[in-house]
Amino acid sequence: MDQAQYGIMRFAKYKGPEIGNIEAHNERTKEKYASNPDVDTSRSKYNFHLVKPVQRYRAEAEKQIAAAGCRTRKDSVRVVEVLFTASPEFFKGKKRAEVRAYFEEALRFFEQYQNKANIISAVVHMDEKTPHMHLSFVPLTADGRLSAKEIVGNKKKLIQWQDNFWSHMVQTYPELERGESASQTGRDHIPPRVFKEMTRLTKQKAKLEELLAGIGAFNAKSRAAEIAALLDKYIPAVEQMHTTMKKYQVVFTAATAENKKLKQENARLEQSLDKATRESTLKQLAEAKLRRDYADAVAVLDRIPKEVLDVYARGGHGREERPIEER
């Protein structure tokens, strides 16, 4: 079973003296990192910048703020830091050039929403457990105001940031999922990973059907053992798919009529300029197929002869009752 892979983006605001502390960490100017034992200084030589600072963070921030003619208070946010990374599974097996490409894409995303001239530094750390980028910028609005509150926003704006980040990154990295908080905001996307898992389950179903079709008096014993061995993998996979589909709010309903209606709708929209509507219909079609494939995967279990299930149960393979049922 594939592990979920998430694109990650987090914001942090800094006002005064702490700006020097984050600079020391980001730019690796300290000799020791007692407060952060994850830093492996022997690997710090692999860190790299996508945007190099021209001077100290605080000095550069004050320079940009003064040039914009902004007044500041002691508690004004002068620097915002964005952490870009992904779940560890995403980086497994990736070469340094591939890791760099991910963060370059993240930087391209951010530059769509903030003037690149305001970016003080964008440095990628390769010397901790998971590669990540610290992007520090001066929160100046398009009309020259200093307002971290407007740029970063409230909870609703932060969700929008996350949605926009995922929507951008998934174009290049389709394996990435939207962060878990999306489930609280009404998720309408089923990640590619789930469809891959269903494809594998459907292949297992085909193998199971093949074994069931060929069972007879002469091969019942050996075929029963073979089916029982396959059920060892098949039943947990069906149960896992049930859990996964519940997570992504896939409703378990008979989808034949709905699927026919959706196909007609999709045909009608083939020439439509309403891309969003057509994409929505295609998503619904994919979900309907997912439900149908799952129903087929469950239904095949009803066709397993009792004597085969007895072999399965005696072998310690699983429950002695019917292996799975619709919840």
Side-chain angles (χ1 to χ4, degrees), residues 103-118:
F103 292 113
E104 287 175 338
E105 197 59 53
L107 178 60
R108 276 192 286 272
F109 158 77
F110 186 75
E111 287 175 347
Q112 295 176 40
Y113 299 92
Q114 190 66 27
N115 188 340
K116 63 173 65 179
N118 299 145

Side-chain angles (χ1 to χ4, degrees), residues 99-319:
V99 173
R100 184 185 185 99
Y102 175 80
F103 292 113
E104 287 175 338
E105 197 59 53
L107 178 60
R108 276 192 286 272
F109 158 77
F110 186 75
E111 287 175 347
Q112 295 176 40
Y113 299 92
Q114 190 66 27
N115 188 340
K116 63 173 65 179
N118 299 145
I119 299 174
I120 297 172
S121 174
V123 58
V124 176
H125 287 167
M126 303 288 285
D127 57 1
E128 295 182 56
K129 287 184 178 178
T130 304
H132 57 274
M133 178 167 71
H134 295 278
L135 187 153
S136 303
F137 73 98
V138 184
L140 290 166
T141 63
D143 57 358
R145 289 176 293 110
L146 184 68
S147 181
K149 183 178 180 181
E150 182 173 318
I151 292 169
V152 178
N154 54 17
K155 186 177 180 181
K156 185 177 180 181
K157 178 81 178 280
L158 283 169
I159 289 172
Q160 187 179 36
W161 268 110
Q162 296 291 344
D163 286 338
N164 291 341
F165 175 59
W166 175 82
S167 295
H168 178 93
M169 298 301 287
V170 80
Q171 300 303 314
T172 305
Y173 303 99
E175 66 272 31
L176 287 179
E177 298 189 25
R178 169 68 169 81
E180 285 301 297
S181 61
S183 61
Q184 301 165 8
T185 62
R187 183 168 194 151
D188 66 350
H189 170 77
I190 301 171
R193 173 177 64 90
V194 177
F195 292 100
K196 289 179 182 176
E197 288 169 10
M198 184 59 83
T199 298
R200 284 196 289 270
L201 185 59
T202 300
K203 287 180 179 177
Q204 285 183 315
K205 177 180 76 75
K207 176 65 175 175
L208 185 56
E209 288 177 320
E210 182 183 324
L211 291 172
L212 288 171
I215 199 166
F218 296 105
N219 66 354
K221 190 173 180 180
S222 62
R223 189 59 59 91
E226 195 174 352
I227 292 172
L230 179 56
L231 288 177
D232 267 339
K233 296 179 180 178
Y234 188 75
I235 289 175
V238 171
E239 292 180 328
Q240 178 60 45
M241 181 55 66
H242 185 278
T243 301
T244 300
M245 290 173 72
K246 280 177 68 177
K247 175 183 176 183
Y248 293 108
Q249 302 170 10
V250 179
V251 181
F252 298 103
T253 59
T256 307
E258 179 191 356
N259 202 38
K260 183 177 180 181
K261 179 182 175 183
L262 286 168
K263 284 184 176 179
Q264 291 172 347
E265 179 69 7
N266 189 49
R268 186 179 69 80
L269 289 168
E270 280 289 346
Q271 305 302 320
S272 174
L273 295 177
D274 189 352
K275 183 181 177 184
T277 302
R278 184 157 185 264
E279 286 181 351
S280 175
T281 302
L282 287 171
K283 282 181 180 180
Q284 290 177 62
L285 268 171
E287 184 174 314
K289 184 179 185 302
L290 193 68
R291 292 200 305 267
R292 191 172 63 252
D293 287 348
Y294 173 79
D296 290 345
V298 172
V300 73
L301 292 170
D302 286 327
R303 307 205 320 261
I304 298 175
K306 183 179 182 300
E307 57 269 27
V308 174
L309 290 178
D310 288 343
V311 171
Y312 177 77
R314 284 199 304 273
H317 298 278
R319 318 180 200 20

